[in-house]
Amino acid sequence: MLKLVIADEVRAAVETGRPVVALESTLIAHGLPRPRNLEVAADLETLLRDRGVTPATIAVIDGIPTIGLDAIELTRIANTPNVAKLSVRDLPVASALGRTGATTVASTSLLAARAGISVFATGGLGGVHRGWADSADESADLVTLAGTPITVVCAGVKSILDVGATLERLETLGVPLLGWRTNTFPGFYLSRTEFTVDWRVGAAADVATVMADARALGLRAAVVVANPVPEADQLDQELHDRVLDEALTQAARRGLRGKAVTPFLLATFHRETAGASLETNIAVVRNNVTVAADIAVAWSAHPTGPDQTSPDQT
Ligand code: PSU
Ligand code: MN
């Protein structure tokens, strides 16, 4: 029977209500180039540990959904060329066939929630792609977040997407959206978009209370915390717009579809900006991890915070 493997330190932290933050592995395997990807993966874990938070990087290793990769597993995910990108629908297939792969926002959220983890940090959510009327390309991140109780800290949705359409979908799907110290929805590589968010929060304790109240109300959806990259780290807007046009044209010319689209667009960005977008992407993720750490600590201290029950499975 399928088992999740939860690292001992993650299990101990979950069982005693201590702060844990989940991290995804598609960002490592498909969003960032080697060898920086492994350095970043290790650095994110250190950022969490320095704040007293247990990191839980998630992937599927030889068919086993693993919550809290060890150094060897992390290296394998970061360094294996063409390692699979596993969304939610791929999880049972990868497990049945004994495959190894990186998990997306969708599949990481699902596995983290199953393991009793309440906070997750990523870069930017997937969403509705530009040209969706023709391609019907919408990330499984959105529907999964609609039914998965976890708090996701992100810099909004990737700016390669149709941001307005994605925000409409999040509203339809009933996913609470909080601006972290902002009323403006952030744009991943850019600190701002033209869109606003209805709710602004300024304190981790307030996010923890939203989480507790969502649970008390019986809501199953995730809570999305949108955290802008600092302006000093954002990509130049003109460079961004120019490279985005070029990347979208190239993707269309190649006829890319399905899960290949997002990694291609990100890789094209990193190449065409001569690495500037890579530095911004790393700043985005680091910034999200630090906010997620604060929220996990606040959740842990909240009077109606973590259920101190056993995680789902061994
Ligand atoms: N954030 C990043 N880089 C990434 C991703 C997020 O900074 O590579 C990944 C996440 O795993 C997200 C995925 O779930 O991109 C979206 O892919 P798709 O559009 O195929 O659903
Ligand atoms: Mn897609």
Side-chain angles (χ1 to χ4, degrees):
M1 210 196 45
L2 170 63
K3 281 189 192 286
L4 306 185
V5 165
I6 304 174
D8 289 343
E9 62 163 338
V10 175
R11 171 180 299 282
V14 169
E15 282 179 354
T16 54
R18 280 183 280 125
V20 181
V21 168
L23 299 168
E24 57 138 321
S25 46
T26 290
L27 159 64
I28 301 304
H30 302 280
L32 303 172
R34 287 194 294 272
R36 279 302 282 288
N37 61 347
L38 183 57
E39 286 167 39
V40 172
D43 174 52
L44 299 178
E45 295 202 352
T46 304
L47 279 176
L48 290 170
R49 289 189 197 285
D50 288 349
R51 288 164 174 76
V53 176
T54 303
T57 305
I58 296 179
V60 178
I61 305 291
D62 298 324
I64 300 170
T66 305
I67 289 86
L69 301 184
D70 64 25
I72 293 169
E73 292 161 341
L74 197 58
T75 304
R76 199 169 149 198
I77 289 292
N79 286 349
T80 307
N82 302 318
V83 70
K85 174 179 166 185
L86 306 174
S87 191
V88 166
R89 68 171 187 166
D90 306 305
L91 288 176
V93 190
S95 88
L97 302 183
R99 300 294 163 78
T100 294
T103 49
T104 63
V105 167
S107 47
T108 303
S109 299
L110 188 97
L111 292 171
R114 283 292 300 272
I117 299 171
S118 301
V119 183
F120 165 31
T122 182
L125 300 183
V128 182
H129 282 258
R130 294 169 193 239
W132 52 270
D134 297 321
S135 67
D137 188 355
E138 173 183 325
S139 176
D141 289 355
L142 299 185
V143 278
T144 303
L145 291 178
T148 307
I150 191 155
T151 293
V152 185
V153 182
C154 59
V157 304
K158 291 192 220 27
S159 52
I160 55 175
L161 301 168
D162 184 331
V163 178
T166 306
L167 283 169
E168 294 293 348
R169 288 290 289 146
L170 285 170
E171 182 179 349
T172 304
L173 292 166
V175 177
L177 175 61
L178 308 175
W180 179 258
R181 300 179 179 161
T182 183
N183 293 104
T184 304
F185 192 61
F188 185 60
Y189 289 138
L190 304 170
S191 305
R192 322 165 56 82
T193 64
E194 62 191 288
F195 300 95
T196 55
V197 285
D198 292 343
W199 300 103
R200 173 191 182 119
V201 287
D206 290 340
V207 180
T209 306
V210 171
M211 292 162 67
D213 290 356
R215 187 173 64 190
L217 288 162
L219 298 188
R220 294 290 302 163
V223 172
V224 172
V225 177
N227 176 35
V229 71
E231 271 173 34
D233 295 317
Q234 74 176 334
L235 205 57
D236 178 71
Q237 172 96 49
E238 228 171 85
L239 176 65
H240 174 273
D241 295 352
R242 182 160 48 77
V243 171
L244 179 56
D245 263 358
E246 173 64 22
L248 291 169
T249 308
Q250 286 190 27
R253 200 179 297 139
R254 288 169 190 236
L256 292 184
R257 301 195 64 81
K259 58 176 135 183
V261 174
T262 297
F264 175 82
L265 292 175
L266 295 178
T268 306
F269 249 95
H270 297 335
R271 196 178 59 246
E272 299 287 326
T273 62
S277 70
L278 174 60
E279 298 311 320
T280 298
N281 200 341
I282 293 169
V284 160
V285 185
R286 288 177 54 96
N287 191 44
N288 293 340
V289 164
T290 58
V291 171
D294 288 351
I295 294 170
V297 169
W299 176 242
S300 177
H302 196 276
T304 51
D307 267 342
Q308 297 186 10
T309 52
S310 299
D312 219 11
Q313 285 191 40
T314 42

